[in-house]
Amino acid sequence: LDYVGRMYPNIVRIWKAVTVNQVNGVFGFDSSANIGKTAFPAIQAAPSFGSSFPNVLGGGNGGGDVANPATLACLIPCAIDQDPYFRLTRDIAHKLVPSHHPLQGKPSLIHSKFFPPLQGAQGKMSSSDANSAIFLTDTFEDIERKIKQHAFSGGQDTKKKQEELGANLDVDVSYQWLRFFLEDDDELIRIGKEYGSGSGEHWSTGKVKAKLVAVLKDLVEEHQERRNAVTDEVVKQWMTERCIL
């Protein structure tokens, strides 16, 4: 919020470049939408342009292409739900950059995979539902309880069926989470083969959930230790506006 004033000139330029019809067409708004909804896409788009960060990316000096943030290209990692904002941005990007910008100002995107909630694809992570996700402030007991009780299983109903058919890895939340958090790719492949065939060490849902609990406990413990070491002074230092190039 403190920094938005730096971006305001570009926000205004984007407002001028985008019509209400364009915003309505992209986001499905109609005349009942409040002005905040139609105005927000410009705020989302502004960080796509290096000129929104004159000191951070240019040291406050606009001399030469290397030091001029207005000529820098932008790569945005985001989930697919953010894509409409930047498609709109790409349509008007040429109006906000110098004519010799290498990409005419158009930002490039890397679409990341959605992280499934504990309830599976039909659920949704929400801070209002403590059992929909693992939070970095959770205790070890919370982590174990949530995974064991709420992580959607792709395993079979009985041991016999599990050994015959194996688990559906595509819908099993514990396995899907291991795809994100387990560092050892060879171990992940082995777990997938065992769980998917109902054989070996990780033949059952309980075994896979136990593995995920162990992985998450280590991750959360390390994060909490680092977070506890962060002081207000450290935050202030990191948030201080400065050139990073």
Side-chain angles (χ1 to χ4, degrees), residues 115-134:
F115 195 75
L118 285 176
Q119 296 93 332
Q122 302 305 315
K124 182 179 181 182
M125 286 190 187
S126 172
S127 58
S128 63
D129 182 358
N131 294 319
S132 66
I134 299 298

Side-chain angles (χ1 to χ4, degrees), residues 65 70 93 111 121 147 158 165 170 179 182 194 211 213 224 243:
D65 283 352
H111 287 154
I147 297 300
T158 66
L165 304 173
D170 292 333
R179 292 180 62 196
L182 186 60
E194 293 175 352
K211 179 63 179 181
V213 168
Q224 290 178 353
C243 181

Side-chain angles (χ1 to χ4, degrees), residues 92-114:
I92 55 91
H94 62 281
K95 299 180 180 180
L96 279 84
V97 297
S99 59
H100 59 284
H101 189 285
L103 299 176
Q104 292 187 308
K106 297 180 185 294
S108 299
L109 306 182
I110 293 180
H111 287 154
S112 59
K113 292 183 178 179
F114 271 115

Side-chain angles (χ1 to χ4, degrees), residues 30-122:
D30 56 29
S31 59
S32 67
N34 62 58
I35 60 174
K37 287 184 176 181
T38 55
F40 179 73
I43 299 172
Q44 180 93 335
S48 304
F49 303 98
S51 55
S52 292
F53 306 95
N55 294 326
V56 177
L57 298 178
N61 114 44
D65 283 352
V66 175
N68 184 359
T71 62
L72 296 177
C74 178
L75 177 63
I76 304 169
C78 65
I80 190 65
D81 61 324
Q82 300 298 300
D83 185 76
Y85 290 100
F86 300 112
R87 286 186 178 273
L88 183 65
T89 304
R90 287 172 60 87
D91 286 343
I92 55 91
H94 62 281
K95 299 180 180 180
L96 279 84
V97 297
S99 59
H100 59 284
H101 189 285
L103 299 176
Q104 292 187 308
K106 297 180 185 294
S108 299
L109 306 182
I110 293 180
H111 287 154
S112 59
K113 292 183 178 179
F114 271 115
F115 195 75
L118 285 176
Q119 296 93 332
Q122 302 305 315

Side-chain angles (χ1 to χ4, degrees), residues 115 118 125-127 129-148 150 177 213 216-225 227-228:
F115 195 75
L118 285 176
M125 286 190 187
S126 172
S127 58
D129 182 358
N131 294 319
S132 66
I134 299 298
F135 299 97
L136 290 169
T137 54
D138 281 347
T139 64
F140 291 168
E141 292 75 18
D142 289 333
I143 293 172
E144 186 167 4
R145 176 185 58 80
K146 289 182 182 182
I147 297 300
K148 287 185 176 181
H150 299 286
W177 279 35
V213 168
L216 291 178
K217 282 183 177 180
D218 288 344
L219 185 151
V220 171
E221 180 180 28
E222 181 179 356
H223 172 82
Q224 290 178 353
E225 289 176 353
R227 179 175 178 170
N228 290 336

Side-chain angles (χ1 to χ4, degrees), residues 151-157 162 166-174 195 205:
F152 185 82
S153 172
Q156 304 300 328
D157 296 335
Q162 176 65 17
N168 183 345
L169 303 182
D170 292 333
V171 301
D172 190 274
V173 168
S174 297
Y195 191 31
T205 297

